[in-house]
Amino acid sequence: MRKHSRHLKRKRKKKFNIYFICIFVFFISVIGVGFYFYCMDGKDHCSEKIKRAKEHLNKKSEIQEKKTPLPKYNEKLDVSNDGRLVGAMPESANQHGYSSLKVWEILQSNYFPPLEDKKTIFLTFDDGPSGNTEEILAVLSKYKIKATFFVTGSAVQHNPVKLKKIYEEGHALGNHTFSHVFSILYPGGVLNFLNFNNEIEQTEKQIQFVLGESFYTRSIRCPGGSMSWQGMDSLFEDFKNKGLASIDWNAVNGDAEGGLKTASELVNKCKETAKYGINVILMHDKDEKSETVKALPEIIEYYLHQGYQFKILI
Ligand SMILES: [Zn+2]
């Protein structure tokens, strides 16, 4: 009797275990299938989101392309085909201008023979307009020399009257980004394409706000020089597609190197480095660079005496 009831108990226990295992397997299956569908759903949401983002980006770049159609350059007139100005006032561009696209090629070639048999200087002033702009303009005016000013959008914002004066006195303008802040333009030493292009666009708008929408410049000077950063190839490709030129330099007066230099040190540095047939000289139009202004007459006289012509980048 006892034996029989033990047998019954074992049988019930066994039955219970089978039920328990079945229920357990059932729940695991339900959870598994549910999880699978949840994941699939998530994936779909995810891929849908990426698809939508891509569509949005494509639309955005289409809009941007439509918004800023860059006109084709007319070499003869030094104005664009749709009548927009290039870099400087038309009279000055015709008389003193030289294609920045060609100068970009020359600077890349590392071979600097005289330009059309004439030894040539391009004086370039970066970072302005500043508290020194008017003095620089006065020196240039005295010698009837034209120069190229690579302005930042933020400086233009603060000195619109000075920008107008630069332009009206027949000098050329180039775009030197808006903020000039390396960590925005090249975080970690690598180009941020979007930030850089946004700043070029903002600066162009800022210049146009002062000079009118018919103005635009093809000359871009990358802050710190285009050779100092990684990932610039995409930018150069973009410049080529838009008809823009990256203008570095092959000579300096040294006003941005090391500590403050005296005017005579700047003159010497310029004579040492600007000794080619074609020279793009880097100088600065900044509040603290007053020695640059003092050195300018001697630099101009030295090169005039050597028979150089002075050109502007358009
Ligand atoms: Zn600069």
Side-chain angles (χ1 to χ4, degrees), residues 126-127 150 152 176 180 182 221-225 282 284 286:
D126 285 14
D127 303 345
F150 285 96
T152 65
H176 195 37
H180 201 288
F182 292 166
R221 177 162 282 163
C222 302
L282 172 70
H284 289 84
K286 281 182 102 169

Side-chain angles (χ1 to χ4, degrees), residues 180-306:
H180 201 288
V181 175
F182 292 166
S183 59
I184 297 173
L185 302 166
Y186 327 101
V190 184
L191 171 81
N192 183 310
F193 185 84
L194 200 65
N195 289 353
F196 197 101
N197 271 320
N198 280 342
E199 292 215 10
I200 292 296
E201 210 173 292
Q202 278 181 56
T203 303
E204 188 177 65
K205 277 184 189 155
Q206 199 61 49
I207 297 173
Q208 287 175 343
F209 183 71
V210 182
L211 301 179
E213 283 187 10
S214 61
F215 180 89
Y216 93 101
T217 178
R218 306 182 301 174
S219 312
I220 312 285
R221 177 162 282 163
C222 302
S226 72
M227 309 304 276
S228 312
W229 316 102
Q230 288 175 11
M232 298 297 277
D233 286 349
S234 56
L235 187 72
F236 298 154
E237 205 50 47
D238 193 49
F239 281 4
K240 279 175 193 162
N241 292 335
K242 290 175 177 167
L244 303 175
S246 169
I247 304 292
D248 284 330
W249 53 89
N250 63 349
V252 296
N253 70 348
D255 65 357
E257 296 166 9
L260 281 178
K261 290 188 174 69
T262 62
S264 67
E265 284 173 319
L266 297 178
V267 172
N268 289 338
K269 187 74 183 176
C270 199
K271 287 179 186 171
E272 266 171 45
T273 56
K275 55 188 179 188
Y276 305 107
I278 170 170
N279 303 276
V280 181
I281 306 177
L282 172 70
M283 302 183 183
H284 289 84
D285 172 13
K286 281 182 102 169
D287 290 350
E288 62 271 31
K289 310 281 181 191
S290 51
E291 290 299 300
T292 298
V293 185
K294 287 183 203 161
L296 195 53
E298 203 179 328
I299 289 171
I300 291 173
E301 279 173 28
Y302 175 78
Y303 287 102
L304 280 175
H305 192 68
Q306 302 273 319

Side-chain angles (χ1 to χ4, degrees), residues 131-155:
N132 284 322
T133 303
E134 280 166 317
E135 283 187 71
I136 292 171
L137 291 177
V139 175
L140 294 171
S141 167
K142 184 184 164 195
Y143 292 96
K144 296 187 173 59
I145 296 289
K146 305 296 176 201
T148 305
F149 289 75
F150 285 96
V151 297
T152 65
S154 54

Side-chain angles (χ1 to χ4, degrees), residues 47-59:
S47 58
E48 191 57 36
K49 258 187 190 172
I50 291 169
K51 210 174 139 192
R52 258 183 273 145
K54 274 184 183 168
E55 277 171 6
H56 178 70
L57 276 174
N58 285 342
K59 264 187 200 161

